[in-house]
Amino acid sequence: MTRSIAATISNTPRAMTSHLIEVLGLDLAAKVLAAADPRTVTRWASGVHVLRREAILIRLGTSYQAIAELEEVLSPRQIRGWFTVSNDAFDYRSALELLDGDDPQLARTRIVKAAAEFVAEYQNEQSNADDGMS
């Protein structure tokens, strides 16, 4: 998880927004960032408009950090699924629903933790599978 924290701290909201669009696609990135119009997200990514609202910045940091974790083991398509499919770690809601419904700080904690745990579990399973093939 240290890598995802460092990546989040070292990037600007503009760069993080661009990466969200790259990985999630514009429509899902807009939903993750609670933007009614996807063009708004494009403006944030291009620097035409500056992203300042705290709640959206928290959503951006949360999503960016989770993506940084998940990119270690998943493709962009799989990451999109991780954000939109119900997850037992979120009481059978999706990460997107958690972002929409909970306190932003609580959602951040739960989403980033679930992403890190998913990656650790995936890597452990891969390691065990590799050990079984030896």
Side-chain angles (χ1 to χ4, degrees):
M1 189 174 336
T2 305
R3 181 176 157 237
S4 67
I5 293 169
T8 303
I9 291 169
S10 66
N11 274 301
T12 64
R14 180 179 173 184
M16 290 190 291
T17 302
S18 292
H19 193 66
L20 254 67
I21 293 169
E22 192 178 299
V23 174
L24 300 178
L26 181 57
D27 289 337
L28 183 54
K31 289 177 184 174
V32 164
L33 296 176
D37 186 345
R39 292 177 295 188
T40 302
V41 178
T42 303
R43 289 183 197 111
W44 292 334
S46 68
V48 172
H49 291 266
V50 177
L51 184 53
R52 291 194 175 110
R53 286 189 42 217
E54 182 181 3
I56 296 174
L57 287 168
I58 292 169
R59 290 172 76 110
L60 174 61
T62 300
S63 303
Y64 186 84
Q65 194 172 348
I67 288 168
E69 293 288 339
L70 296 167
E71 283 179 316
E72 292 186 36
V73 297
L74 298 178
S75 69
R77 181 173 174 249
Q78 292 168 317
I79 292 170
R80 288 190 292 274
W82 190 90
F83 270 88
T84 58
V85 173
S86 66
N87 185 327
D88 61 346
F90 309 136
D91 304 319
Y92 298 97
R93 295 182 292 165
S94 68
L96 181 58
E97 290 170 322
L98 194 66
L99 283 168
D100 286 340
D102 280 356
D103 169 84
Q105 293 292 357
L106 177 60
R108 178 183 199 123
T109 301
R110 292 181 71 188
I111 289 169
V112 172
K113 180 181 178 198
E117 288 174 352
F118 177 87
V119 169
E121 185 176 312
Y122 182 92
Q123 290 172 332
N124 188 42
E125 288 174 6
Q126 292 299 100
S127 177
N128 289 341
D130 291 345
D131 290 344
M133 297 180 83
S134 308

